[in-house]
Amino acid sequence: MAMLVDTDTKTELGFPYWKPIRRLFGPESPFFSSGNIERELLAKQVALDLSEEEKHTLQNLVDEGGSREVFCPIVGCGAHLISLEHFEDHYNGRHTASCSVCSRVYPTSRLLSIHVSEAHDSFFKAKVARGYAMYECLVEGCGLKFKNYKGRQQHLVDKHKFPSSFEFFKKAHLSKKARQKQHRKQSIHRSEETSSKMDIEGETIDGLVSAVSKLSTSDSSPPSSISFGRRNTRGLAFVPRAVQREKKAADSVPTGAKQ
Amino acid sequence: MAEGGLTSHRRDPIKSSVGNVAAHRRRQNAVEVGKERRESLVRAKRLCRVSSSCDDSDVCIENDMIIDEEQSILEAQTSSAVEELKSAVSFQGKGAMQKLVGALREMRRLLSKSEFPPVEAAIKAGAIPLLVQCLSFGSPDEQLLEAAWCLTNIAAGKPEETKALLPALPLLIAHLGEKSSSPVAEQCAWALGNVAGEGEELRSVLLCQGALPPLARMMLPNKGSTVRTAAWALSNLIKGPDHKAATELIRVDGVVDAILRHLRKADEELATEVAWVVVYLSALSNVATSMLVKSDVIQLLVQRLASSNSLQLLIPVLRSLGNVIAGDSHTIVAVLLPGCEITDNVIEVLVKCLKSEHRVLKKEAAWVLSNIAAGSVEHKQLIYSSEAAPLLLRLLSTAPFDIRKEVAYVLGNLCVAPTEGDGKPNLISEHLVSLVGRGCLPGFIDLVRSADTEAARLGLQFMELVLRGMPNGEGPKLVEREDGIEAMERFQFHENEDLRNMANGLVDRYFGEDYGLDE
């Protein structure tokens, strides 16, 4: 707001007159500090108040009686989920972004696809051997590629400040039994590369149905488009919607529809 | 965040601890601890003490205040929990997963118990590398959740403790992915939010590692605690001071739409977090402000201000409105045109805030009005003839100092026409005469007497307007009557040269040798 004051002229006052201007403050400006404090004080309280609210919700759930627990039927998982919704969440999380060759699970499709290329794709290996830069940077939006794993690793540390201890691909420490199982699976995979998708789906759906009572299923990974009913099926065998559609052709609910 | 349920055998413990007395005591504790914290730096981090999906055992609702000796017991327990964790991590036999989850859970309970978790003890015992291992790809959800929860509370500690999370960051970011289960992604977002809240350096590391896009995507769904946590974490991530993150965020596909949707429809808790995101977007990024202003964000902010009574929500909404008005000339020039309904609505909600009992709302509403009053003559007329004017006059006499200063800006801006070039700005006589007639001069002279240089400057500048602009030479008489001369004379030998020159200049010109001779 200050005007440079010119005190040389005797007639002119040289006064910094009032000039209306817009005033903008940075978010951390002291101007805003009292408002900021209000936010954090109540944030602390919320952590305690939530337990009040949660108590009431728990009370209601408990009052409704009984449990709706579901055990994940996929063998080796054994996860215990508290409701159908949690199961669907769990299923989408844990059993749909998994590598069909080695069963490693990744939190994004992109990371899964990078893993599959780098660990199992012979075409990828061939290009690497011929000197192409095939190893992608893991950070979304970066776009750089490198000729080898170490080069990409170095880039992550240098450019993206990853810790040097970070390892994208960790060698698994499997028990002897697990190694044998995996070896068997890999040879099946190689010989079944042209089998139809429908067969794999059919095999797994049946497996899921029987798994509730037996907790055993086939080894192949499940298809990506399975959705689960919202009805409370307590007391009944847990039956995915896709299976119901197979048995009753008249069912009008589309596959994979998640409400 | 209250989802999930417990199995029936936990009925009794819940019932015995639900009680108004206990709850009241806890609230008191929170408020007391909060008051102590008021002096220290604002905490941008949040402790996680209750999970969003309670599919395990006890909700920690007892033991909020832990005294000193209990604290050292806690630290000892923490060290041995880390030892347990170490052996569980390397254990490969039967039941390894359960053992690991159990060890993590114990660690997490110790870190969630008190207001001051034993973070230092945990780090010293070597918890972090173990927790990083527990985050490896393919780990079961329960394991990821517990590990991320431990890291969340470690990150909520002192700066060096938050920094200790560096090795875990890429994994935490990766687990924000679309394939992760909701509770895991949310807990990771929470941990990252605490890290981002620590400071600029860590924020820059997170941005380098690509944390922004996945967090932004988590904000797109309509509701859920995950959306709210993601919004909070984002607000910490983009708060600058560099504007790049804010600009990057507004450009993510779907973000503008999600922001508008949440401002329009979300419950107050989610709207509050989103409003804070808008605060930072509008304070830091011109690109963001311009995109928001072109959408109907102002209308949505106004609606929230009109309909809500939650201080938590009103603060960031009001501030967002203030930022878009202050930051982009387009807003006043093209959007808030005098005579348009939207402009009337804005003034109306600002008046509501001026009437509020909350100090922050009054102060910041006055700030927003001062920026509108810095617009065209028509804008000034609009404010002058609204309910705001009498309120402002009253506040100038009675409100706390920081509010009075902002009010002074509004009133002064109402009296001066928009400046063109470097010449002396023209007065709006009608407003000046009326406001002075309604008694605003003493309030300005009071500011001259304050210790705040900015306020004193404002006061002197307004006095100049009065001395120059009141008709019939009334100005000097009015100023004298309110002890204005004496107030200015205090600056004769004042250390601040600027103020000294201003005050002396006025006295010389208007109260010189000729003063009083005509009477």
Side-chain angles (χ1 to χ4, degrees), chain B residues 276-315:
Chain B
W276 278 106
V277 175
V278 178
V279 164
Y280 293 117
L281 287 171
S282 54
L284 293 167
S285 165
N286 293 332
V287 171
T289 303
S290 145
M291 281 175 77
L292 288 168
V293 167
K294 290 195 174 82
S295 70
D296 61 348
V297 82
I298 293 187
Q299 185 61 48
L300 298 171
L301 294 171
V302 164
Q303 269 161 17
R304 285 285 181 175
L305 284 171
S307 61
S308 169
N309 287 314
S310 153
L311 181 63
Q312 283 293 280
L313 175 57
L314 292 172
I315 291 178

Side-chain angles (χ1 to χ4, degrees), chain A:
Chain A
M1 252 171 121
M3 242 174 64
L4 278 176
V5 176
D6 176 2
T7 44
D8 282 343
T9 46
K10 286 194 180 131
T11 46
E12 205 36 76
L13 198 54
F15 188 90
Y17 302 109
W18 187 302
K19 277 190 175 170
I21 53 164
R22 285 195 328 270
R23 294 170 299 141
L24 175 67
F25 299 102
E28 299 303 306
S29 158
F31 183 77
F32 290 132
S33 57
S34 40
N36 290 344
I37 288 173
E38 284 293 341
R39 176 186 194 194
E40 294 314 318
L41 272 184
L42 286 176
K44 270 170 69 75
Q45 281 195 352
V46 163
L48 294 171
D49 284 351
L50 279 176
S51 56
E52 284 295 307
E53 193 192 294
E54 191 174 50
K55 274 177 239 155
H56 290 127
T57 315
L58 295 174
Q59 199 76 56
N60 293 337
L61 278 170
V62 162
D63 287 338
E64 272 164 36
S67 73
R68 303 167 175 192
E69 292 151 8
V70 175
F71 283 94
C72 178
I74 304 300
V75 86
C77 180
H80 165 202
L81 291 317
I82 55 162
S83 77
L84 229 45
E85 278 178 46
H86 282 75
F87 180 25
E88 188 162 359
D89 214 20
H90 160 83
Y91 191 91
N92 285 336
R94 302 285 301 125
H95 303 297
T96 57
S98 58
C99 177
S100 53
V101 176
C102 69
S103 305
R104 276 184 178 75
V105 177
Y106 290 88
T108 68
S109 310
R110 180 172 176 268
L111 286 177
L112 173 63
S113 139
I114 290 177
H115 158 77
V116 169
S117 308
E118 294 179 8
H120 306 303
D121 186 356
S122 44
F123 180 69
F124 180 95
K125 284 193 183 70
K127 292 214 96 169
V128 167
R130 301 216 319 262
Y132 287 88
M134 299 294 290
Y135 287 89
E136 287 178 57
C137 173
L138 300 180
V139 175
E140 218 184 305
C142 177
L144 290 177
K145 297 196 187 188
F146 301 86
K147 292 195 179 160
N148 53 47
Y149 184 88
K150 281 230 164 68
R152 195 252 314 274
Q153 184 72 5
Q154 198 57 47
H155 163 80
L156 289 175
V157 171
D158 293 339
K159 183 82 189 300
H160 297 292
K161 309 197 178 141
F162 274 45
S164 38
S165 54
F166 178 81
E167 280 287 349
F168 177 54
F169 185 72
K170 287 199 189 80
K171 299 273 181 222
H173 297 290
L174 299 170
S175 65
K176 186 173 177 192
K177 186 171 171 196
R179 283 202 301 273
Q180 287 171 344
K181 206 196 299 185
Q182 189 179 89
H183 185 77
R184 254 184 287 126
K185 205 169 91 165
Q186 279 174 339
S187 32
I188 294 173
H189 176 86
R190 270 182 237 118
S191 65
E192 273 190 353
E193 268 171 289
T194 53
S195 59
S196 74
K197 194 166 186 262
M198 270 313 289
D199 286 346
I200 296 174
E201 277 183 5
E203 184 180 41
T204 313
I205 290 169
D206 287 343
L208 278 173
V209 171
S210 63
V212 173
S213 46
K214 287 188 280 177
L215 273 183
S216 72
T217 186
S218 64
D219 260 358
S220 49
S221 62
S224 53
S225 61
I226 284 194
S227 79
F228 303 99
R230 294 277 163 199
R231 284 185 299 117
N232 183 353
T233 54
R234 227 177 343 131
L236 306 170
F238 177 67
V239 178
R241 188 179 299 209
V243 177
Q244 287 178 314
R245 220 181 75 256
E246 269 180 31
K247 290 182 178 165
K248 310 177 226 167
D251 198 285
S252 60
V253 179
T255 329
K258 190 171 176 176
Q259 275 144 9

